């Protein structure tokens, strides 16, 4: 058996605009998906994924993709819950030149699903790394990231960017612009996450931004403005000591840019009442800045605050189901003890 884990992420800046070639800066955080893989003698794949659905279930299916759900749930739910695992399996088979390889797979995750913290990317990254290692092939982080991107691109009908998968595979803070992906230095920023318990429809939200951008010049300019925010943020980070504590001035400047970014994302229609309430709760509690993270429509916000004030304020904010501090994950995908 091989066990690998990969971290989730928050976007410091740049979600949605990254789909159109603008830069983005996501940061890996210590909420992880763990995938256990054991090779089988046949070509069947058995997936046990208690954290990938509303209800616990196990699905068994053959290489042809035929499924036999162990519980009576709609096929669309089964497909949504296992689609990323399916794609990871196919990438691992291809990388190991083992098209008929079968696996028993268990997926566990402490990353809220569909909430903007990169749960699908973490599952795909950890799954590809664990499955290829189980077949005797070790990929470097960048190849895992590339194969994970291809898997997400397929599942998301061509609307994925490389940001989530590269960040999850490599860890730390990364900078993504189109196909140009690289790690960047950053101090250990004091992230606080608020979660409304919901999840936006990523495909619908991305399509909505695409429609606005194609219809209105000012919407296209808004997307470009998000890219400008990212570049200014990069400039600030490049001048900071990645091994030191972030200065109050740096946090104030980054926070101001996060506030701008949230306003631009709201103008593109991807925020929600619960996300806005959490953003303002954190800001009113003294956070340096706060914004939604991920596709939006529900899910999570991220704030910069080294004190306990924002976390406490979020815990008492109507519509916020959970609030927690999220440490920067310096490790990307890694092997765990079985």
């Amino acid at each position: 058996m091989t066990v690998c884990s990969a971290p989730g992420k928050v976007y410091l800046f740049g979600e949605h605009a990254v789909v159109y070639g603008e830069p983005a800066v996501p940061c890996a955080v210590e909420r992880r998906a763990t995938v256990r893989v054991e090779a089988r003698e046949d070509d069947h794949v058995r997936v046990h994924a208690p954290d990938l659905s509303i209800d616990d279930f196990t699905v068994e299916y053959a290489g042809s993709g035929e499924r036999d759900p162990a519980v009576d749930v709609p096929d669309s739910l089964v497909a949504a819950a296992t689609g990323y695992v399916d794609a990871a399996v196919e990438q691992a088979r291809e990388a190991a030149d083992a098209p008929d390889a079968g696996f028993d797979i268990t997926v566990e995750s402490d990353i809220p699903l569909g909430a903007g913290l990169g749960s699908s990317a973490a599952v795909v990254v950890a799954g590809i790394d664990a499955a290829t290692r189980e077949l005797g092939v070790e990929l470097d982080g960048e190849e895992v990231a590339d194969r994970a991107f291809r898997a997400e691109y397929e599942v998301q009908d061509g609307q994925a960017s490389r940001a989530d998968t590269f960040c999850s595979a490599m860890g730390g803070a990364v900078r993504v612009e189109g196909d140009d992906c690289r790690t960047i230095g950053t101090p250990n920023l004091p992230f606080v996450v608020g979660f409304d318990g919901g999840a936006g429809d990523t495909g619908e939200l991305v399509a909505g931004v695409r429609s606005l951008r194609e219809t209105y010049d000012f919407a296209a300019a808004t997307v470009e403005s998000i890219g400008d925010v990212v570049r200014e943020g990069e400039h600030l980070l490049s001048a900071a000591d990645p091994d030191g504590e972030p200065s109050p001035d740096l946090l104030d400047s980054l926070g101001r840019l996060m506030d701008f970014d949230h306003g631009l994302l709201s103008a593109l229609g991807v925020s929600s009442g619960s996300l806005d309430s959490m953003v303002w709760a954190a800001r009113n509690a003294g956070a340096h800045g706060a914004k939604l993270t991920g596709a939006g429509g529900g899910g999570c916000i991220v704030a910069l605050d080294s004190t306990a004030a924002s976390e406490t304020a979020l815990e008492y904010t109507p519509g916020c189901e959970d609030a927690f501090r999220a440490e920067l994950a310096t490790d990307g995908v890694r092997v765990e003890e079985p």
Side-chain angles (χ1 to χ4, degrees):
M1 175 183 289
T2 304
V3 184
C4 291
S5 75
K9 62 91 186 70
V10 294
Y11 271 96
L12 192 57
F13 319 106
E15 53 269 90
H16 281 286
V18 72
V19 176
Y20 304 101
E22 298 291 343
V25 176
C27 299
V29 294
E30 279 299 347
R31 288 273 174 135
R32 304 183 79 89
T34 301
V35 180
R36 293 173 171 80
V37 178
E38 186 167 7
R40 293 172 62 107
E41 296 297 324
D42 54 33
D43 68 348
H44 287 215
V45 177
R46 183 173 176 82
V47 181
H48 182 60
D51 298 317
L52 298 187
S53 174
I54 297 171
D55 300 306
D56 185 2
F57 71 91
T58 299
V59 169
E60 185 170 3
Y61 55 98
S64 64
E66 295 177 358
R67 292 175 171 82
D68 182 18
V71 294
D72 184 17
V73 296
D75 186 64
S76 60
L77 178 58
V78 176
T82 62
Y84 289 106
V85 180
D86 288 350
V89 165
E90 290 308 310
Q91 286 295 325
R93 286 170 166 166
E94 181 182 293
D97 193 22
D100 297 323
F103 304 100
D104 287 324
I105 299 173
T106 299
V107 181
E108 297 174 326
S109 178
D110 59 8
I111 308 169
L113 299 177
L117 298 186
S119 59
S120 63
V123 168
V124 173
V125 165
I128 290 172
D129 200 32
T132 51
R133 288 176 183 275
E134 180 70 2
L135 294 175
V137 175
E138 293 188 17
L139 308 177
D140 64 30
E142 292 192 4
E143 186 168 356
V144 172
D146 181 62
R147 287 191 172 278
F149 163 69
R150 289 189 235 168
E152 284 216 317
Y153 190 87
E154 176 187 341
V155 175
Q156 295 178 18
D157 297 324
Q159 299 190 102
S161 82
R162 293 184 180 271
D164 287 18
T165 44
F166 187 78
C167 185
S168 186
M170 304 304 292
V174 304
R175 191 241 194 220
V176 175
E177 185 173 5
D179 291 337
D180 179 19
C181 305
R182 54 186 170 85
T183 59
I184 60 175
T186 182
N188 188 10
L189 299 173
F191 294 125
V192 176
V193 175
F195 176 41
D196 68 6
D201 185 324
T202 298
E204 183 177 309
L205 290 158
V206 171
V209 172
R210 185 179 301 279
S211 177
L212 284 174
R213 182 175 174 273
E214 292 173 350
T215 303
Y216 301 109
D217 289 343
F218 55 78
T222 300
V223 171
E224 293 174 4
S225 293
I226 292 175
D228 292 338
V229 168
V230 179
R231 294 181 186 93
E232 182 64 24
E234 283 184 86
H235 175 72
L236 293 171
L237 291 173
S238 68
D241 179 3
D243 298 319
E245 289 298 314
S247 68
D249 286 345
L250 174 64
L251 293 176
D252 282 343
S253 297
L254 291 174
R256 191 174 303 116
L257 292 175
M258 291 171 70
D259 291 345
F260 268 113
D261 199 359
H262 182 77
L264 294 168
L265 291 166
S266 295
L268 291 172
V270 299
S271 190
S272 68
S274 59
L275 294 177
D276 288 341
S277 292
M278 291 190 291
V279 161
W280 280 105
R283 291 179 188 172
N284 289 337
H288 298 277
K291 59 181 285 294
L292 67 84
T293 179
C300 290
I301 65 104
V302 59
L304 286 183
D305 192 351
S306 56
T307 76
S310 292
E311 187 175 356
T312 300
L314 287 167
E315 289 172 350
Y316 288 95
T317 300
C320 179
E321 283 202 3
D322 192 16
F324 53 90
R325 188 163 295 282
E327 297 296 327
L328 187 72
T330 55
D331 287 341
V333 64
R334 70 189 183 204
V335 179
E336 307 285 2
E337 289 296 323

